[in-house]
Amino acid sequence: MGKITAAITGIAGYVPDYILTNDELSQMVDTSDEWIMTRIGIKERRILKGQGKGTSDMAMHAVNDLLRKTNTRPEEVDMLICGVVTPDMQFPATANIISDKCGITNAFGYDMNAGCSSFLYALITASKFVESGSHKKVVVVGADKMSSITDYTDRATCPIFGDGAGAAMLEPNFDGLGVVDAIMQVDGSGRKHLHQVAGGSMYPASYETVAKRQHFIYQEGQPVFKAAVSNMADTAVEIMQRNGITPENLAWLVPHQANMRIIEATAKRMGIKKEQVMINIERYGNTTSATIPLCLWEWESKLRKGDNIIIATFGAGFTWGASLVKWAYDGSEKA
Ligand code: UT7
């Protein structure tokens, strides 16, 4: 039997109904559609409304749809990893809650927090279980309710983020399709520029942490921007070069959707055309762990078996990475 690779055999996504437009945001903070479009490239984002609704409620929709599309019974899933920075609770893991809500009763799983890189980190981790032969149906979720940690009085961060969920099925493949290569890197010294101060063991929730608004995203935009451009572009170019990928034989770049200018700079460094890049930031904003699966879900019908796809990401930590994936099926058959 030949080498096992981990192929994506299905993809699904979910975004909540409520649309928060730039015009509505402009009534909440001192900003404008023009500033947000020029500096970030976001027109609107989705927000999960409803008391007691968490990340798992969006992920549940995506996973249920994934199981339907891949003709998988929930009991057949043997592992579920959830990439997330806004878990339902500090514990237990959101992966457990999603599994329970979807009837996945024969699996083990856990959460992975790598900032906005969580989905790619989860995908690569899951691929190792498939490649080893130990697991045969692995669900990889990327989901975040960023509105739960976004300060809607802070104009520097509130236009950026939105809510959403995506899920991919990973299964063994014997024709070299699926995850081919990956480069992943962290640099913890970058944490000072992007973090959530309170709510962890260092600064547990207190009246003081709430009064100081320390449960929201803290971001210094410019250093994060610079690190995102250089690291995402560097790793994407490196993964191209070491796998013989050229602008001509690359089908798609799937970049993390943080800022249109970061996406454009990465594509330029790779020497590829904008038409080769999956971009939906204008409609969903930065959904953190969900950006990449939401792109794959939306583009699924255009994907062809054997397509070379590069996934590139950057997030809090700092974390970053890129992966080469050979798409495993004709998307139009499932989308
Ligand atoms: O996904 C995780 C990784 N995160 C990222 O990749 C985010 C990376 N950073 C960015 O995308 C950009 O740095 C931001 C979009 C966050 C900010 O854009 P910028 O071009 O770096 O703006 P800036 O922070 O340098 O601010 C420029 C000006 C400032 O005014 P002054 O000091 O020049 O008078 C800000 O106060 O723009 C002002 N500003 C705004 N004006 C209108 C900041 N936010 C807004 C706003 N509306 N929403």
Side-chain angles (χ1 to χ4, degrees):
M1 199 160 59
K3 185 174 176 273
I4 305 174
T5 50
I8 296 176
T9 56
I11 187 88
Y14 175 83
V15 288
D17 293 335
Y18 189 86
I19 298 174
L20 175 58
T21 63
N22 287 349
D23 290 337
E24 188 180 348
L25 265 181
S26 307
Q27 290 158 26
M28 296 155 74
V29 289
D30 181 14
T31 190
S32 64
D33 176 60
E34 203 243 326
W35 193 95
I36 300 170
M37 280 305 286
T38 314
R39 297 292 183 110
I40 322 178
I42 299 172
K43 195 85 191 157
E44 58 192 41
R45 65 289 290 145
R46 301 299 180 101
I47 304 293
L48 180 65
K49 298 273 186 182
Q51 186 74 16
K53 294 269 184 209
T55 298
S56 72
D57 292 288
M58 295 184 292
M60 176 190 73
H61 286 291
V63 172
N64 280 338
D65 198 34
L66 180 72
L67 297 178
R68 180 191 62 75
K69 287 172 77 172
T70 55
N71 293 316
T72 307
R73 283 181 286 111
E75 321 79 80
E76 291 178 281
V77 174
D78 44 25
M79 180 176 188
L80 184 146
I81 308 186
C82 180
V84 62
V85 306
T86 53
D88 282 16
M89 299 173 172
Q90 280 272 25
F91 68 90
T94 304
N96 299 21
I97 304 173
I98 299 166
S99 296
D100 181 48
K101 288 182 175 174
C102 296
I104 294 173
T105 50
N106 290 323
F108 95 113
Y110 47 85
D111 290 355
M112 291 195 72
N113 179 345
C116 294
S117 306
S118 296
F119 178 80
L120 186 61
Y121 278 40
L123 183 79
I124 300 308
T125 303
S127 73
K128 303 300 171 195
F129 283 86
V130 175
E131 287 166 13
S132 76
S134 65
H135 290 72
K136 296 197 167 40
K137 287 188 186 289
V138 181
V139 173
V140 183
V141 176
D144 269 303
K145 183 186 171 187
M146 293 307 290
S147 61
S148 65
I149 56 166
T150 299
D151 183 350
Y152 289 98
T153 66
D154 175 16
R155 71 174 183 170
T157 53
C158 73
I160 299 173
F161 298 98
D163 302 339
M169 182 69 79
L170 275 192
E171 294 185 73
N173 184 278
F174 300 94
D175 300 317
L177 300 172
V179 178
V180 175
D181 193 12
I183 300 169
M184 289 184 295
Q185 180 85 41
V186 303
D187 175 5
S189 70
R191 69 188 184 281
K192 59 180 175 290
H193 302 300
L194 180 53
H195 56 261
Q196 182 183 341
V197 173
S201 56
M202 229 183 233
Y203 300 104
S206 67
Y207 286 115
E208 195 188 345
T209 60
V210 172
K212 287 182 168 169
R213 310 186 79 76
Q214 289 176 327
H215 293 270
F216 295 121
I217 299 157
Y218 172 85
Q219 177 170 267
E220 293 159 11
Q222 292 209 354
V224 177
F225 186 94
K226 282 187 195 136
V229 169
S230 61
N231 290 318
M232 223 162 97
D234 282 354
T235 42
V237 168
E238 192 182 339
I239 208 103
M240 277 179 97
Q241 287 172 347
R242 78 184 195 188
N243 288 282
I245 301 295
T246 62
E248 290 70 40
N249 65 17
L250 178 73
W252 297 99
L253 167 68
V254 194
H256 169 52
Q257 314 278 307
N259 185 313
M260 186 70 94
R261 290 182 290 145
I262 298 174
I263 296 171
E264 285 170 354
T266 304
K268 194 170 168 207
R269 279 279 305 283
M270 294 169 72
I272 62 172
K273 296 195 279 287
K274 206 169 171 186
E275 296 74 52
Q276 289 170 280
V277 188
M278 296 187 192
I279 303 174
N280 60 14
I281 188 172
E282 67 278 9
R283 281 175 294 120
Y284 301 141
N286 181 349
T287 55
T288 302
S289 309
T291 60
I292 288 162
L294 282 176
C295 279
L296 289 169
W297 170 56
E298 288 207 327
W299 266 259
E300 185 185 23
S301 64
K302 295 195 172 82
L303 302 178
R304 294 289 166 267
K305 190 173 177 177
D307 275 355
N308 289 318
I309 295 176
I310 287 180
I311 299 174
T313 190
F314 182 87
F318 291 146
T319 59
W320 65 94
S323 175
L324 172 64
V325 172
K326 274 195 187 292
W327 199 249
Y329 61 93
D330 288 328
S332 51
E333 289 168 17
K334 284 190 188 176

